[in-house]
Amino acid sequence: MSTERDRLLPTTNGEASPSREARVRAVLHGVLTVLFAVGLGVLLILSRIRDWRWGGELPRDPLEAALKILEASPVIDGHIDLPDLVREFYANNVSAVDLASKMPQHVDIPRLREGRVGGFFWSVYAGCPQHEGYDAGADFLTATWRVRDTLEQIDVAKALIASYPDTFQFALTSQDISNAIARGKIASLMGVEGAHQLGNSLSVLRQYYDLGVRYVTLAHMCHNAFADSCGFLEWLEPLHGGLSELGYTLVSEMNRIGMLVDLSHTADTTAKQALAHTKAPVIWSHSSARAVWNVPRNVPDDVLELIGMGENKTEGVVMVNFAPEFVAAEGNATVEGVADHVEHIAKVAGKKHVGLGSDFDGIGGVPRGLEDVSKYPHLFAELYKRGWSQSDLAGLSGGNLLRVMEGAERVAQQLQDAGVPPAFDIYKKRRDVGQGRIPGKGRWLVEEL
Ligand SMILES: *[C@@H]1O[C@H](CO)[C@@H](O)[C@H](O)[C@H]1NC(C)=O
Ligand SMILES: *[C@@H]1O[C@H](CO)[C@@H](O)[C@H](O)[C@H]1NC(C)=O
Ligand SMILES: *[C@@H]1O[C@H](CO)[C@@H](O)[C@H](O)[C@H]1NC(C)=O
Ligand SMILES: [Zn+2]
């Protein structure tokens, strides 16, 4: 090697000239080097383009590209109301439900498959007492059967999931979701849609977790003992001004056990306080952007700005709701409009902090172009047309939710490893516990609740 190079080098007096053979070799060497560099550059550029649009593996046609992307990264929807549909339409008779054929609203197995769904949270919803003819009382103390009704919806979800073992796989962790998807199954998780379903009790929270529930929305369309709601299309007068004292404890206990804190439906005050207080990443299981369409149910920019991974930000994912009344003016909700919400949340909070929570089977109307679960690919095609990359779309479809869920699982493990004890706080207005008295000694253990 060194001798050859020496031969090519001119001598100090410049007399010696390299042989013809050596010159040819030098030229060849140079040409090869240039070719190598050009090839490397082309490869680099191609690898970028492949993840962007026309080149490489992704088809030119946006819908075909979307289908291809979703094949590898299927949709994990944060909120589907199938169990409530079974309650309302079938009186919870699971035997009467045939998910293999066309169901009355937006969800059945053929359409889930067509829509490239890899998982979803089955909402085990029981409505606010006052919206369903019960009065919980000003202090929420009157039993309203909401805990029973939640248990019934858990029962419905589990029975349906078990009825279709070739399609659904019950999932409890982010790893379970990935495993189900790898096996071609639809990962099935459960979420409780409102802390009014807890019967004011942290024990109920823990037992829901043990039954497999993996998120609790802090409020539905009513205030409860833990948190203020945002209302629906009209603002609600505040009650606690955000979280109650017990509400803060609820968030901490959710962090400890690994129950995701869901901030959909919450008042802005509740959301801000929960974001500041939580140790774990949070979700909005089904919420859109208020700057795009101004209704209380949508998330305002000053909350979106608090989400992220940097300093003073809380890790989270806002999963966009398709309900037409949250998307645009009456008659104007479209798949493009839903894409506007996705893009706005991505603009303010970042593309790593947006997901999908359709609310299918829980909404009356649907946007044009997003009529049921078979239509998710059209939303991805629209965003692909707008320049979203394959990896951004994979985050939107489910990757971002998985990351947030993993984060919450890690925090729960850390808190449990650190020996943080369960919270045994009792709702202060209850008088049915701690009333035992030892004769002559007054109340037993609990002096004052
Ligand atoms: C539930 O549905 C099945 C199938 O339609 C029917 O045979 C059965 O009688 C129903 N049960 C009740 C309690 O209504
Ligand atoms: C983050 O918040 C803390 C206190 O909440 C504050 O002291 C600090 O200045 C903030 N940092 C930035 C970059 O805003
Ligand atoms: C509905 O959409 C049409 C067409 O884009 C627009 O002209 C109209 O202003 C929209 N309606 C409202 C209430 O925003
Ligand atoms: Zn809802």
Side-chain angles (χ1 to χ4, degrees):
M1 201 52 194
S2 72
T3 46
E4 186 163 79
R5 195 181 64 205
D6 290 345
R7 278 203 302 169
L8 291 169
L9 289 172
T11 57
T12 37
N13 60 16
E15 280 168 359
S17 69
S19 70
R20 184 185 154 77
E21 188 197 342
R23 248 182 299 147
V24 168
R25 224 181 282 159
V27 168
L28 248 173
H29 187 258
V31 166
L32 283 176
T33 305
V34 168
L35 273 178
F36 179 73
V38 167
L40 206 68
V42 166
L43 264 176
L44 250 167
I45 290 165
L46 270 180
S47 73
R48 303 216 149 201
I49 288 173
R50 202 191 64 186
D51 192 49
W52 182 56
R53 342 207 103 191
W54 9 268
E57 290 164 16
L58 283 181
R60 228 175 253 267
D61 177 71
L63 186 56
E64 278 174 33
L67 290 170
K68 181 116 192 172
I69 291 167
L70 291 173
E71 208 173 280
S73 326
V75 173
I76 305 171
D77 192 305
H79 195 90
I80 286 191
D81 269 311
L82 178 55
D84 187 51
L85 178 136
V86 175
R87 177 182 167 85
E88 301 301 329
F89 285 59
Y90 299 86
N92 282 344
N93 183 353
V94 169
S95 299
V97 176
D98 181 7
L99 291 180
S101 66
K102 174 108 187 199
M103 287 285 289
Q105 287 199 327
H106 316 128
V107 184
D108 49 48
I109 291 170
R111 285 183 287 170
L112 284 165
R113 293 301 195 186
E114 198 185 335
R116 304 303 191 271
V117 176
F120 63 90
F121 282 86
W122 299 53
S123 175
V124 289
Y125 160 79
C128 283
Q130 56 268 52
H131 301 143
E132 304 208 352
Y134 305 106
D135 181 5
D139 292 335
F140 311 109
L141 282 170
T142 308
T144 60
W145 300 102
R146 299 287 82 174
V147 174
R148 175 201 66 184
D149 299 341
T150 303
L151 292 173
E152 285 180 347
Q153 297 323 106
I154 291 173
D155 184 56
V156 163
K158 287 188 167 185
L160 273 173
I161 292 163
S163 298
Y164 302 91
D166 292 341
T167 301
F168 300 121
Q169 188 167 315
F170 194 52
L172 297 172
T173 62
S174 54
Q175 187 61 55
D176 286 353
I177 300 178
S178 301
N179 293 346
I181 290 173
R183 298 180 58 204
K185 301 283 174 67
I186 298 176
S188 297
L189 302 103
M190 296 188 295
V192 161
E193 198 183 357
H196 67 283
Q197 293 178 246
L198 295 177
N200 308 327
S201 170
L202 300 175
S203 307
V204 172
L205 169 79
R206 287 187 286 268
Q207 296 311 305
Y208 283 171
Y209 181 89
D210 284 356
L211 289 171
V213 174
R214 286 298 177 268
Y215 73 67
V216 173
T217 315
L218 294 186
H220 192 243
M221 298 197 293
C222 54
H223 304 320
N224 59 60
F226 304 96
D228 281 3
S229 159
C230 65
F232 182 55
L233 297 177
E234 303 287 334
W235 298 94
L236 278 184
E237 277 298 308
L239 175 68
H240 310 291
L243 291 169
S244 68
E245 198 186 326
L246 192 62
Y248 278 100
T249 308
L250 173 68
V251 170
S252 298
E253 186 64 352
M254 290 171 78
N255 290 169
R256 190 189 68 82
I257 66 177
M259 185 77 91
L260 284 168
V261 174
D262 176 19
L263 297 176
S264 283
H265 285 285
T266 61
D268 298 350
T269 48
T270 301
K272 287 176 188 168
Q273 291 165 14
L275 282 170
H277 184 68
T278 185
K279 289 194 162 70
V282 301
I283 64 167
W284 280 255
S285 66
H286 57 308
S287 288
S288 300
R290 201 178 295 163
V292 179
W293 188 242
N294 186 11
V295 291
R297 253 308 256 113
N298 287 343
V299 186
D301 281 0
D302 64 345
V303 170
L304 292 177
E305 281 160 7
L306 302 172
I307 306 164
M309 288 186 264
E311 202 188 340
N312 289 348
K313 304 246 184 191
T314 303
E315 161 73 311
V317 59
V318 182
M319 306 176 83
V320 170
N321 191 315
F322 299 174
E325 56 270 51
F326 304 151
V327 173
E330 199 178 343
N332 271 12
T334 57
V335 62
E336 293 82 7
V338 173
D340 293 343
H341 284 270
V342 169
E343 289 213 283
H344 184 80
I345 293 165
K347 193 182 86 195
V348 182
K351 282 181 173 160
K352 291 201 172 319
H353 304 280
V354 62
L356 301 176
S358 63
D359 216 347
F360 277 137
D361 274 359
I363 50 182
V366 284
R368 269 196 307 285
L370 266 180
E371 287 83 3
D372 57 45
V373 289
S374 71
K375 298 295 178 69
Y376 297 105
H378 295 267
L379 175 61
F380 286 81
E382 173 64 23
L383 289 163
Y384 184 77
K385 274 193 259 176
R386 297 186 189 188
W388 279 55
S389 73
Q390 174 157 12
S391 61
D392 290 338
L393 290 173
L396 172 72
S397 69
N400 295 337
L401 181 270
L402 282 175
R403 188 195 67 242
V404 159
M405 203 171 161
E406 275 164 24
E409 287 163 356
R410 252 195 320 274
V411 169
Q413 194 58 55
Q414 283 160 6
L415 293 170
Q416 288 170 36
D417 288 349
V420 175
F424 293 113
D425 304 52
I426 297 287
Y427 181 39
K428 282 201 162 51
K429 292 181 173 168
R430 277 177 72 176
R431 287 292 172 266
D432 59 314
V433 287
Q435 298 300 312
R437 283 167 197 280
I438 296 174
K441 284 195 174 177
R443 287 172 68 174
W444 182 64
L445 289 183
V446 182
E447 272 315 310
E448 202 55 63
L449 282 171

